[in-house]
């Protein structure tokens, strides 16, 4: 094993009407699930990142091979 990765925020709505909208900061890892809310969850994650002045980056860039 070369790395263990955990997430900072799970932004999957899971059918909630008012899911949490945390203030993201640099280095946060956002978990999304491939389910029926993926499109809205991804949009929310990208909006939260933009509001914080952040840009998404692939995790693979930060995990050693």
């Amino acid at each position: 094993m070369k790395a263990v990765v955990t997430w900072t925020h799970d932004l999957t709505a899971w059918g909630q009407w008012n899911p949490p909208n945390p203030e993201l900061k640099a280095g946060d890892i956002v978990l999304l699930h491939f389910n029926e809310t993926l499109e809205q969850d991804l949009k929310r994650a990208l909006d939260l990142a933009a509001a914080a002045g952040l840009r998404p980056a692939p995790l693979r860039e930060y995990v050693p091979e």
Side-chain angles (χ1 to χ4, degrees):
M1 182 181 309
K2 295 181 181 185
V4 174
V5 177
T6 61
W7 56 90
T8 312
H9 303 286
D10 181 349
L11 293 184
T12 304
W14 296 114
Q16 298 175 41
W17 289 103
N18 294 307
N21 288 314
E23 186 174 323
L24 300 181
K25 60 185 184 307
D28 281 351
I29 296 174
V30 174
L31 175 68
L32 297 172
H33 297 271
F34 286 98
N35 64 15
E36 64 279 351
T37 63
L38 177 61
E39 185 177 348
Q40 74 186 41
D41 296 339
L42 179 57
K43 181 181 181 334
R44 191 163 52 92
L46 293 173
D47 289 346
L48 288 169
L54 303 172
R55 67 170 184 80
L59 187 58
R60 69 179 168 267
E61 293 180 8
Y62 300 93
V63 177
E65 290 188 24

